[in-house]
Amino acid sequence: MVSADYVARKIRVVGIVQGVGFRPYVKLLADKYGVKGYVRNLGGGEVEIHVEGPRDAVESLINEFLTRRPSAIYIEESEVVEAELIGFTSFEILESKTERSAISMIPPDLAICDECLREVLDSSNPRRYKYLFNSCSFCGPRFAVIKALPYDRHNTSWSAFKMCPHCEREYWDPKVGGIRRYYYQGISCKHCGPRVRLLSIDGEVINTRDIIQDTAKLIDEGYIVAIKGVGGYHIAALASDDDVVLKLRSRKKRPTQPFAVMVLDLDIAEKLVELNDESRKLLKSPQRPIVLLPKKPSTPVSKYVSPNLDKEGVFLPYTALHYLLLTEVKDHFLIMTSGNIHGHPMCTNINCVMNKLRGVVDYVLDHDLEIVHRVDDSVVRFTGGYAVLLRRSRGYAPMWIRISRKLRKPVVAFGADLQMAGAVAVEDKVIPTQYIGDLDEYEALEDLDRELNWFVRVYGIKDALLVCDANPSYASTWLCHKWAEKYGLEYVSVYHHHAHALATAADWGETEPFVSITIDGVGYGLDGMAWGGEVLIVNGETFTRFGHLRYVPMPGGDLASIYPVRMVISYLSQFLKNHEIIDVLGKLGLIDKLPGGELEVKVVLNQLRNSIMTSSIGRFLDSVSALLRLSTYRSYEGEPAIVLEAHARGGSYIGDESIKDLIRKDGGTYIVDSVELFRWAYEALMSGLNTRDIAYTVQYSVGKALGEIACMAAQEVNNFRIYLSGGAAVNDYIYAGIKSAVEECGGIVRLPRKVPPGDGGIALGQVYYVALSNNT
């Protein structure tokens, strides 16, 4: 007869609970408390536990794993119910089941932990000393190598590597493997793990004595090397040598876009950039993002690594391979940039490297662990002292984001077109894909299609509602419509800036009508014009345009974003005559910044009469950047505006009376008179005012005007939580202007925390649109 104090419990756990050592941890706890039962993975990424034994022991086990578990295990929800006593005689890790009772998070790729790095540096540990792929239950590749759920070795790239007897003992025996290696699906060592080889770009295998030392020697000699990492190939090169950096720029056809710099440790980072407690913590986090930080004047990094910018993108090594390489190179820091040709996705296999990077790299440090998912490095910056994601990928994706409303049917969101990500969503969980990139190239569109299909398959999503951007010319919209046709699914379209606004609101759980400032380069507006400097009142699936930047022509459409002198002409045309414009451009040396010179200037002047109109803050910032002769050609997304922000560092606000009141009213809509602000910048430049002060004042002033309009809108809805979104939302000076105005009216400004404010967060907003509407 079983005692009344002998109980059974069935526990379902959701979160990051597969691929992080959760099952072996529960098994060790069960043995510790002397209870019986089982633990097993289920097909949705969740874990099921059955435990039976004395009531005190069962309750102690549950309490310990819920409150004192290892940090790599993230439990978002758990359900504990009474169960029938079955009479187990032991506690076992059972074979995984493919059935789903719920969905759970797919673990992201995490940086090598301190314990694993200690093993790599410990010469008394022959199996793992200098082992380039060392990892454990709490670190290493996860999402990049997963082929299917549940997360078991046979469903990952590790299946290609048969465990050696030593690893098998660690895997099966908790007394040998401990919590870090017992039942760890990615277990490996020097005897049985992936193999590394050094190749010339012609495919010749280079014989080496020590492959890391020899690779480091090549890099120190000025050669450029492709290095296979966790989610793709990097291109590594000296960051301190001007000639090497310029050679890489020439080969990669990347004239000015900044390169990231990987540094050995925080001591090296401190020689390059300004650090504080927050940035140190972020750099050392398991996510190991690239962090944009202010350059030190004494930095040894070549000025050509990030020309015309005040910040350097630095990150720490996240694998043993990276760490050991940086230990060997003379500087202990290197350019570590995406292994791609400009505008194309990063290579993930050797065929891509040999075909596409020929002429870019000299050598390839390759290995044979298959990359299933391309996963770029994540990028973070600080705006107003807050960490903001610019690219959400390695270390963060594909963790889900909870929203405050439940969906009645699954959703697949296709995002936008630039620096984008898609998403799938089930109930109140939105799972953004990793960073996909720009859909200008068909390869990136194929990536989006493949990744969305994969998430739909592994999460068992059926009969989904599709969500597209309202812009009919977007590649993502085309793909959305193709899915609708192919799978017989319904779709809805969401305006670009509406989705931007909803993304930040979803991030913060806002459900009331709210005000959003959405500022970016361009988005398709309700009136068919190019929006991008908007103050919106949003009420779920509807919105009202409460204010915006003054419309000006955008001559040549997209050409105006590539050659911002076109936007200079557009703004000048609002208060100067044609011959005066040509005279001004000549004095400023801007005529030859257009490919067609003076003839093109005349063409642009003629185009002004029938150009699409734009309220874009991006185009406004571009025009000021070009006017000040800071950036007259956009070689990467947002370049003129980014350079303008950098130039304002060290500048001061000029409180000129003529620009203190930039707000006009046109009917029921408030207008920021960006033309008047541009005129001020032009006159200040011609009068010899310091260009850093002009840059600072213009950015702060446009932000303050938008903030003032947002305050008026907030009064309309009685909600003074102002949500900021769009690619320009991260600009320090615009943010400061908005914040100053909003705080004056008793409001607060909120930037997104879990997704980028730019187009990488659009898919979250698209899902939230459905959650707040009657479409499901």
Side-chain angles (χ1 to χ4, degrees), residues 445-644:
L445 189 64
E446 286 182 314
D447 271 0
L448 176 62
D449 184 37
R450 180 172 58 251
E451 292 297 333
L452 288 175
N453 265 301
W454 187 83
F455 281 106
V456 165
R457 186 174 71 253
V458 298
Y459 280 131
I461 292 172
K462 299 184 185 305
D463 191 30
L465 177 69
L466 311 181
V467 195
C468 332
D469 193 281
N471 191 334
S473 67
Y474 272 5
S476 58
T477 303
W478 175 86
L479 182 62
C480 178
H481 293 172
K482 282 292 181 185
W483 271 50
E485 181 183 337
K486 181 177 180 179
Y487 301 115
L489 299 172
E490 294 181 3
Y491 72 85
V492 294
S493 298
V494 183
Y495 279 95
H496 190 81
H497 294 97
H498 191 189
H500 264 315
L502 287 168
T504 307
D507 193 313
W508 285 92
E510 181 64 78
T511 57
E512 299 298 319
F514 67 90
V515 176
S516 174
I517 300 172
T518 60
I519 45 177
D520 60 3
V522 67
Y524 187 73
L526 281 171
D527 56 2
M529 297 302 173
W531 290 13
E534 314 303 314
V535 178
L536 308 179
I537 293 178
V538 181
N539 186 1
E541 62 184 309
T542 65
F543 71 93
T544 303
R545 192 186 197 192
F546 191 83
H548 60 84
L549 264 63
R550 178 173 161 180
Y551 272 136
V552 294
M554 188 172 157
D558 287 344
L559 276 176
S561 66
I562 299 170
Y563 299 102
V565 173
R566 285 175 166 260
M567 289 307 302
V568 174
I569 296 169
S570 177
Y571 272 96
L572 289 174
S573 73
Q574 303 302 299
F575 55 86
L576 294 179
K577 296 177 180 177
N578 286 4
H579 71 275
E580 293 173 320
I581 293 171
I582 294 172
D583 183 53
V584 167
L585 294 176
K587 287 177 181 177
L588 294 176
L590 294 178
I591 289 177
D592 63 356
K593 301 304 180 184
L594 291 172
E598 187 170 340
L599 177 61
E600 186 169 347
V601 173
K602 292 176 179 177
V603 170
V604 171
L605 288 167
N606 187 57
Q607 288 177 330
L608 293 172
R609 290 176 294 183
N610 56 6
S611 292
I612 187 172
M613 304 296 283
T614 184
S615 59
S616 163
I617 201 170
R619 299 296 78 81
F620 170 69
L621 297 174
D622 290 353
S623 70
V624 177
S625 187
L627 175 73
L628 301 182
R629 292 162 291 189
L630 302 174
S631 178
T632 56
Y633 172 73
R634 191 208 76 194
S635 68
Y636 61 90
E637 185 66 27
E639 179 178 6
I642 293 168
V643 172
L644 180 68

Side-chain angles (χ1 to χ4, degrees), residues 83-318:
E84 287 187 20
L85 286 165
I86 296 175
F88 288 103
T89 58
S90 62
F91 193 95
E92 303 294 340
I93 298 175
L94 297 186
E95 185 176 343
S96 299
K97 296 181 72 175
T98 56
E99 69 183 45
R100 301 179 184 89
S101 62
I103 67 166
S104 199
M105 286 193 199
I106 296 167
D109 306 298
L110 298 176
I112 186 170
C113 67
D114 291 342
E115 285 296 317
C116 282
L117 187 56
R118 273 193 281 273
E119 290 173 336
V120 170
L121 302 178
D122 181 4
S123 59
S124 68
N125 186 340
R127 288 174 50 236
R128 295 198 167 95
Y129 177 56
K130 292 189 175 182
Y131 176 48
L132 304 180
F133 303 91
N134 202 32
S135 64
C136 71
S137 289
F138 306 137
C139 71
R142 293 297 191 274
F143 174 54
V145 298
I146 293 175
K147 298 178 180 179
L149 291 179
Y151 181 81
D152 290 325
R153 192 178 182 94
H154 68 270
N155 284 331
T156 74
S157 301
W158 293 109
S159 62
F161 304 94
K162 180 177 170 55
M163 286 183 275
C164 69
H166 297 288
C167 285
E168 280 201 330
R169 280 196 294 276
E170 289 176 325
Y171 182 85
W172 290 111
D173 189 341
K175 293 177 182 177
V176 178
I179 192 170
R180 291 175 52 243
R181 297 265 158 64
Y182 172 51
Y183 227 75
Y184 169 46
Q185 302 304 305
I187 193 169
S188 67
C189 71
K190 279 183 180 178
H191 300 322
C192 59
R195 294 289 181 258
V196 184
R197 57 182 181 163
L198 182 63
L199 307 169
S200 74
I201 194 59
D202 295 320
E204 177 189 356
V205 177
I206 309 297
N207 294 320
T208 62
R209 180 183 58 81
D210 182 310
I211 198 163
I212 294 297
Q213 287 181 359
D214 290 346
T215 301
K217 184 172 182 290
L218 288 170
I219 294 171
D220 281 342
E221 290 172 356
Y223 291 103
I224 297 170
V225 181
I227 297 174
K228 189 176 183 181
V230 170
Y233 287 78
H234 283 115
I235 294 175
L238 285 175
S240 58
D241 189 308
D242 289 353
D243 291 337
V244 171
V245 179
L246 289 173
K247 176 171 65 175
L248 177 57
R249 289 206 171 280
S250 173
R251 290 182 178 184
K252 211 165 185 257
K253 296 181 176 58
R254 186 167 158 170
T256 54
Q257 188 172 359
F259 294 129
V261 178
M262 185 180 277
V263 299
L264 178 64
D265 53 32
L266 290 177
D267 289 338
I268 300 298
E270 200 138 29
K271 296 177 181 179
L272 278 56
V273 294
E274 303 286 350
L275 296 178
N276 58 26
D277 290 344
E278 284 300 308
S279 57
R280 287 187 183 93
K281 183 179 177 182
L282 195 53
L283 285 166
K284 283 285 289 180
S285 69
Q287 290 76 30
R288 290 287 202 281
I290 297 168
V291 185
L292 305 187
L293 295 167
K295 297 177 184 177
K296 281 193 169 175
S298 59
T299 177
V301 174
S302 165
K303 66 181 179 180
Y304 298 111
V305 168
S306 52
N308 305 316
L309 301 182
D310 62 330
K311 296 181 179 68
E312 204 80 82
V314 298
F315 62 136
L316 267 58
Y318 51 89

Side-chain angles (χ1 to χ4, degrees), residues 381-390 497 500-501 504 516-521 532-534 617-618 621 641-642 645 699 702-703 706 722-739 749-753 755-759:
R381 66 164 283 168
F382 288 89
T383 297
Y386 298 100
V388 183
L389 281 160
L390 299 183
H497 294 97
H500 264 315
T504 307
S516 174
I517 300 172
T518 60
I519 45 177
D520 60 3
E534 314 303 314
I617 201 170
L621 297 174
I642 293 168
E645 182 189 11
Q699 293 170 94
V702 73
L706 286 165
I722 310 299
Y723 295 93
L724 190 53
S725 61
V730 297
N731 180 298
D732 267 324
Y733 307 102
I734 295 175
Y735 175 82
I738 291 171
K739 185 170 183 282
V749 180
R750 287 177 167 174
L751 281 161
R753 304 159 299 174
V755 293
D759 285 4

